[in-house]
């Protein structure tokens, strides 16, 4: 029921009006940069890669977002191509993304910690550090040996603070995993 209510609230913005048309995903040749149109927001820009090179991922995201913005400015002949508010920040279809609109995440393999304190315990640790835990294949997905750790704050914080929150949280959870015998 909660999922359904959330979907009704999100779709009230009308971006599903042309379903299933008017949506798509564009993927770079190396599959490290993606743009998803009209899924959970009007535009979702994604940068990702295997390993722990977060500065590289964040740099690619910044360059990609700047290129998208420049392209939209050229096409629309407008300086401001994204809807924003001076206090709220970026205005998005999904209300949980208002603010920076950024969710940085890392998938971390922690089978011993999952067995010891469970997903709820891991999420409690993450929440205490301004992050959240999710299943590694999406929100509400099954947790087997890994979880997705991401920032949960979006409103009122610059992107670099959100990435710092995520890195600190992943380091703490990784250390907790390493300290478990077995």
């Amino acid at each position: 029921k909660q999922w359904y209510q959330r979907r009704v609230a999100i779709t009230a913005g009308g971006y599903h009006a042309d379903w299933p048309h008017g949506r798509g995903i564009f993927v770079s040749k190396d599959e490290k940069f993606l743009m998803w149109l009209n899924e959970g927001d009007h535009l979702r820009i994604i940068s990702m890669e295997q390993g722990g090179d977060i500065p590289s991922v964040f740099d690619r995201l910044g360059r990609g977002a700047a290129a998208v913005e420049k392209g939209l400015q050229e096409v629309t002949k407008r300086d401001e191509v994204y809807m924003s508010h001076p206090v709220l920040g970026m205005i998005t279809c999904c209300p949980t993304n208002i603010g920076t609109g950024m969710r940085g995440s890392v998938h971390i393999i922690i089978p011993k910690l999952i067995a010891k304190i469970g997903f709820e315990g891991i999420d409690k640790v993450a929440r205490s550090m301004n992050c959240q835990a999710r299943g590694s294949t999406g929100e509400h997905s099954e947790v087997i040996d890994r979880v997705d750790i991401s920032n949960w704050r979006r409103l009122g914080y610059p992107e670099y603070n959100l990435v710092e929150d995520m890195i600190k949280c992943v380091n703490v959870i990784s250390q907790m995993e390493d300290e478990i015998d077995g």
Side-chain angles (χ1 to χ4, degrees):
K1 183 177 178 181
Q2 185 180 27
W3 177 86
Y4 175 76
Q5 289 172 333
R6 181 175 180 268
R7 279 289 155 206
V8 168
I10 292 171
T11 58
Y15 78 99
H16 279 107
D18 297 319
W19 182 270
H21 308 288
R23 59 179 275 151
I25 187 165
F26 300 89
V27 182
S28 67
K29 288 181 183 179
D30 64 4
E31 299 183 356
K32 292 182 178 183
F33 185 80
L34 302 87
M35 288 190 340
W36 206 343
L37 302 171
N38 295 331
E39 186 275 334
D41 270 316
H42 288 101
L43 174 64
R44 183 172 292 174
I45 301 172
I46 302 167
S47 174
M48 62 184 185
E49 70 182 62
Q50 294 286 327
D53 191 354
I54 294 170
S56 172
V57 173
F58 196 61
D59 177 67
R60 182 183 317 106
L61 177 66
R63 287 184 289 112
V68 169
E69 183 174 27
K70 182 179 180 194
L72 289 171
Q73 288 168 333
E74 289 174 5
V75 169
T76 64
K77 307 292 186 230
R78 296 173 57 194
D79 290 335
E80 300 295 324
V81 293
Y82 298 121
M83 185 178 284
S84 65
H85 183 273
V87 174
L88 298 177
M90 302 310 290
I91 306 299
T92 63
C93 240
C94 182
T96 63
N97 290 331
I98 290 175
T100 67
M102 190 192 83
R103 184 177 79 85
S105 71
V106 171
H107 290 191
I108 183 169
I109 301 171
I110 49 173
K112 296 181 288 186
L113 191 60
I114 292 168
K116 183 173 181 178
I117 67 172
F119 175 76
E120 292 77 17
I122 294 164
D123 190 46
K124 185 176 180 179
V125 170
R127 297 275 176 176
S128 75
M129 301 183 73
N130 300 314
C131 290
Q132 67 187 50
R134 296 179 175 194
S136 62
T137 57
E139 197 171 7
H140 309 297
S141 64
E142 183 179 11
V143 174
I144 299 171
D145 65 344
R146 69 193 72 211
V147 296
D148 174 308
I149 301 294
S150 63
N151 60 291
W152 63 264
R153 301 186 300 177
R154 313 275 196 283
L155 186 59
Y157 300 92
E159 289 84 353
Y160 69 87
N161 283 149
L162 305 180
V163 172
E164 286 174 351
D165 287 348
M166 179 198 62
I167 291 169
K168 288 176 187 175
C169 184
V170 167
N171 286 338
V172 165
I173 289 174
S174 179
Q175 183 177 350
M176 291 171 71
E177 170 78 6
D178 292 344
E179 290 172 353
I180 299 172
D181 293 332

